[in-house]
Amino acid sequence: RHRCSSGTPRRRGGRRALLPLPLPVPFPALLPVLLAAATTARLYRPGHDPLTVLTADSVRPALLNSSAAWVVQFYSSSCGHCIAFAPTWRALAGDVKDWDSAIRVGVLDCGEEGNYETCKEYGIHYYPTFRGCVFWILFPAGADRELQTVRQMMIDFLQNHSKEVRPPACPPLDPVSSSDITSLFDKNSHHYTAIVFESNSSYVGREVILDLVQYENIVVRRALNFDKPFLEKLGITSVPSCYLIQPNGSHGLINNLKPLRSFFSSYLKSLPGVRKKLLLPLQLPAPENKEESTEIKVWKEFDKSRLYMADLESGLHFLLRVELATHKALEGAELKTFKDFVTISAKVGTSGSTYLKYISFFQISGIFLTKKVQWVGCQGSRPELRGYSCSLWKLFHTLTVQAALRPKALQNTGDCSGHSEPARKAIVLQVMRRYIQHFFGCKACAQHFEEMAKESMDSVKSLDKAVLWLWEKHNVVNNRLAGDLTEDPKFPKVQWPTPDICPACHEEIKGLHSWNEDQVLQFLKSHYSSENILYKYTESQTDSSDNEQGDMREVQDKNLPKNPGENGENKLQDKEIPIDSANPDKL
């Protein structure tokens, strides 16, 4: 459903022809807007959505020693596919709400900083493909994640556990025999007994059993349609069918019901004397009263024609402390990718940029990293929108542009040695490709990027072409996601740069919009240059009145150790990445 476009726009006269460009959307008035407090759930709201919103403080007390099983979606609020899947997950939780005493549905946001370590401990590396999520119940990779399929997986999970480890409140789900049913006839009881006859592949019986698990004065069982003479004796001609044994022992087939779970469950719940049990609500630990939990985030005014260091630093914070930190050890291809990413970033990073000095000194867990995420040009109208994915695009664009502006910086790069000259020209893109493949949390997004890379990345033969390749593919993604649930309504997915910030980038040839790629390249080299970066809102800012023109760079640099350069280029200091002494190929 969300596939990257494989079509390549037509070229006319050396320029790229596209469909007519929609009129630019006026930029929203930047009024001070109070955003939700940091503790507010992003995609899911506790007390509003029919599921349990877990946190680092509550997940263990909830899961351990629980009388019910759990199915927990570990998601990231910055993952587009998690956002797209949220309506399905809410619908699933509402659909199986009556199953709570046997199996509960929960969520935990790995994109919340307070949950980083918890997600790491549970080994959560990636977030949902379009149809699914990473579950506390580990469903097969690549499995269908439609609501009905997930519901059936939950049933399989419950039924496949032995009696010793099955949740105490889980009712029997195995089929009963014909003799078991016959023994109930003409005997008084304190409750109704409903038997759902069905085929071996049907889930209706088990779904109805769980739908009624919280109701008293009724017991639901299931039976298979193998004993044909017995079915004929009961008047059952098709399955699924529901057979009811009254408390006084009388019995008969329930007629005039469609053979659907919803019809069976609704009828049985409406029987005289059948009522829902009074259950105590789930008790979770109260959230700790941390300082940041009461912080109110205020909308930050920003200039969309400028690049903000706060976005790049915050993106690096998330990249290192969340995405990379979820991997307890790096070795083999992952370790090489990390080393190459660090090397490329430090060599072609903007001179004077604080965040790239962090990289070059490998202060990954030290004091040089920002203490929290603070989006400016990447802030969204809601907490789950834009953010990290926006900053990662900005970081990648910055690296391709800086490589094109300072080509000597890539000389003698370890990953480039032995490669042909054309291959060296695309090395920044290739390192990005491997980083996304190995570490980017949204696995489906990484697959989309890989599809685009396979299609045309090998054709990039110059540093300028690398800049244009990434720009073109970013617009392909914008076009694919326009109108998607992940789109921020205040920041529509449009073809960029828009005419208001780069009029010369746009032309019209024979009535069709086309890109002037020479002008686009010139614009990108200006937009992602060191001179266009603003240091407003960075943590090391000391005087907000002086930063609009980037004056904070000198102040920031004084707080960092001097990094000896060569011909003005950044150069990695001779400081080693920590290597496991027992395994030199493992980080």
Side-chain angles (χ1 to χ4, degrees):
R1 179 166 147 180
H2 287 320
R3 294 187 62 83
C4 297
S5 170
S6 58
T8 302
R10 294 176 294 160
R11 291 183 179 271
R12 293 185 177 177
R15 295 178 172 85
R16 191 174 301 279
L18 299 174
L19 294 175
L21 189 72
L23 292 175
V25 180
F27 194 72
L30 295 180
L31 300 175
V33 179
L34 293 181
L35 300 180
T39 54
T40 302
R42 298 190 173 190
L43 295 184
Y44 304 94
R45 292 176 288 173
H48 183 272
D49 292 323
L51 44 72
T52 303
V53 178
L54 299 168
T55 65
D57 296 327
S58 65
V59 63
R60 287 177 182 80
L63 300 185
L64 297 177
N65 301 317
S66 172
S67 62
W70 280 84
V71 53
V72 178
Q73 179 198 154
F74 292 90
Y75 73 98
S76 172
S77 51
S78 64
C79 169
H81 291 265
C82 295
I83 297 172
F85 189 67
T88 299
W89 194 251
R90 289 191 199 96
L92 171 72
D95 182 64
V96 301
K97 187 62 179 174
D98 282 341
W99 301 10
D100 268 6
S101 58
I103 186 168
R104 296 179 181 274
V105 177
V107 292
L108 192 144
D109 184 3
C110 294
E112 284 283 355
E113 190 159 359
N115 298 332
Y116 290 173
E117 286 301 316
T118 299
C119 293
K120 180 180 178 180
E121 290 171 13
Y122 281 114
I124 308 301
H125 293 170
Y126 304 110
Y127 308 114
T129 57
F130 171 71
R131 291 186 173 181
C133 305
V134 182
F135 297 96
W136 174 248
I137 300 173
L138 295 178
F139 293 151
D144 189 357
R145 303 295 192 227
E146 296 296 344
L147 187 152
Q148 181 175 341
T149 307
V150 176
R151 189 173 65 220
Q152 292 173 358
M153 287 179 174
M154 294 167 65
I155 292 173
D156 290 339
F157 170 78
L158 288 173
Q159 190 170 10
N160 292 338
H161 275 67
S162 64
K163 292 182 180 180
E164 291 75 19
V165 296
R166 183 178 296 171
C170 182
L173 298 175
D174 294 327
V176 295
S177 66
S178 301
S179 58
D180 292 333
I181 298 172
T182 304
S183 66
L184 300 175
F185 292 165
D186 303 319
K187 291 184 179 179
N188 291 330
S189 174
H190 297 295
H191 57 75
Y192 297 92
T193 300
I195 312 294
V196 178
F197 288 88
E198 61 185 345
S199 65
N200 189 45
S201 60
S202 172
Y203 281 84
V204 172
R206 286 165 287 183
E207 290 171 339
V208 175
I209 290 173
L210 290 167
D211 286 344
L212 274 294
V213 70
Q214 292 192 40
Y215 286 76
E216 58 187 8
N217 299 325
I218 188 168
V219 173
V220 183
R221 295 289 184 264
R222 58 185 285 256
L224 301 181
N225 61 338
F226 293 155
D227 191 342
K228 301 299 182 183
F230 184 66
L231 267 64
E232 291 177 5
K233 181 179 178 181
L234 299 181
I236 297 173
T237 58
S238 62
V239 292
S241 290
C242 189
Y243 199 87
L244 184 65
I245 304 174
Q246 303 279 348
N248 62 6
S250 62
H251 52 89
L253 182 65
I254 302 175
N255 295 311
N256 304 320
L257 285 183
K258 290 185 178 180
L260 302 174
R261 165 204 172 195
S262 58
F263 279 74
F264 292 161
S265 295
S266 178
Y267 177 86
L268 297 177
K269 290 176 182 178
S270 67
L271 290 171
V274 173
R275 57 182 179 269
K276 200 167 188 177
K277 301 172 185 175
L278 183 61
L279 301 176
L280 294 176
L282 178 67
Q283 298 294 324
L284 295 177
E288 294 183 19
N289 187 23
K290 298 178 182 178
E291 181 180 349
E292 60 259 329
S293 66
T294 58
E295 176 186 357
I296 300 297
K297 296 182 180 180
V298 180
W299 185 267
K300 303 175 184 65
E301 301 283 348
F302 70 93
D303 181 350
K304 64 177 180 177
S305 68
R306 306 297 294 271
L307 196 62
Y308 286 81
M309 182 57 69
D311 289 319
L312 301 180
E313 289 181 356
S314 296
L316 182 67
H317 171 107
F318 194 94
L319 184 152
L320 293 175
R321 284 187 167 157
V322 181
E323 283 195 330
L324 278 168
T326 61
H327 298 253
K328 295 181 179 179
L330 299 183
E331 52 189 333
E334 288 185 349
L335 177 57
K336 177 171 173 52
T337 296
F338 171 66
K339 288 181 176 179
D340 291 343
F341 180 79
V342 167
T343 301
I344 291 292
S345 298
K347 281 181 174 290
V348 304
T350 58
S351 58
S353 79
T354 307
Y355 83 104
L356 288 172
K357 286 190 177 182
Y358 299 157
I359 286 182
S360 64
F361 282 92
F362 300 114
Q363 302 291 346
I364 294 173
S365 60
I367 60 172
F368 294 125
L369 278 176
T370 57
K371 295 182 177 65
K372 60 182 178 180
V373 168
Q374 183 164 236
W375 310 121
V376 183
C378 285
Q379 61 191 320
S381 60
R382 299 199 307 270
E384 73 270 17
L385 299 177
R386 307 186 79 226
Y388 176 58
S389 59
C390 165
S391 70
L392 195 62
W393 277 113
K394 290 182 184 292
L395 174 61
F396 286 171
H397 283 300
T398 300
L399 293 177
T400 58
V401 165
Q402 290 299 317
L405 292 175
R406 301 162 49 236
K408 291 183 179 179
L410 290 177
Q411 291 180 351
N412 301 319
T413 300
D415 189 79
C416 299
S417 59
H419 288 73
S420 64
E421 181 63 22
R424 285 196 291 271
K425 300 300 184 183
I427 193 62
V428 176
L429 290 180
Q430 294 293 349
V431 171
M432 290 179 192
R433 177 181 182 178
R434 288 190 283 118
Y435 175 85
I436 292 173
Q437 181 182 18
H438 288 296
F439 299 116
F440 193 51
C442 177
K443 204 61 177 175
C445 304
Q447 291 169 352
H448 290 146
F449 190 87
E450 180 61 20
E451 289 174 7
M452 294 190 295
K454 286 181 178 179
E455 179 186 84
S456 58
M457 186 178 284
D458 289 343
S459 66
V460 175
K461 305 301 182 185
S462 72
L463 294 173
D464 283 351
K465 290 297 183 183
V467 173
L468 290 173
W469 185 92
L470 190 63
W471 158 76
E472 177 190 335
K473 299 310 177 185
H474 194 169
N475 272 338
V476 168
V477 175
N478 282 344
N479 183 62
R480 177 172 58 82
L481 295 180
D484 188 79
L485 287 173
T486 61
E487 182 181 51
D488 192 322
K490 291 188 178 296
F491 300 91
K493 300 285 187 183
V494 297
Q495 298 299 285
W496 189 88
T498 51
D500 57 322
I501 61 174
C502 184
C505 295
H506 301 267
E507 294 182 349
E508 189 173 290
I509 298 177
K510 295 183 179 181
L512 290 177
H513 172 268
S514 66
W515 293 103
N516 185 323
E517 291 192 351
D518 291 339
Q519 292 294 326
V520 170
L521 180 62
Q522 183 177 332
F523 168 83
L524 294 173
K525 287 184 174 180
S526 173
H527 186 79
Y528 292 104
S529 67
S530 302
E531 292 72 26
N532 199 45
I533 295 179
L534 292 182
Y535 286 75
K536 188 176 184 179
Y537 303 116
T538 54
E539 287 187 1
S540 52
Q541 176 186 341
T542 57
D543 185 356
S544 61
S545 64
D546 295 333
N547 56 42
E548 283 298 335
Q549 300 303 320
D551 295 339
M552 287 310 303
R553 270 174 257 167
E554 183 177 353
V555 176
Q556 291 176 339
D557 292 348
K558 290 179 180 178
N559 297 325
L560 290 168
K562 296 299 181 182
N563 185 15
E566 183 173 311
N567 299 325
E569 305 290 1
N570 287 344
K571 184 176 180 181
L572 281 173
Q573 180 171 318
D574 295 331
K575 185 166 183 177
E576 297 292 333
I577 301 178
I579 301 293
D580 187 337
S581 59
N583 186 354
D585 294 324
K586 185 175 181 180
L587 179 60

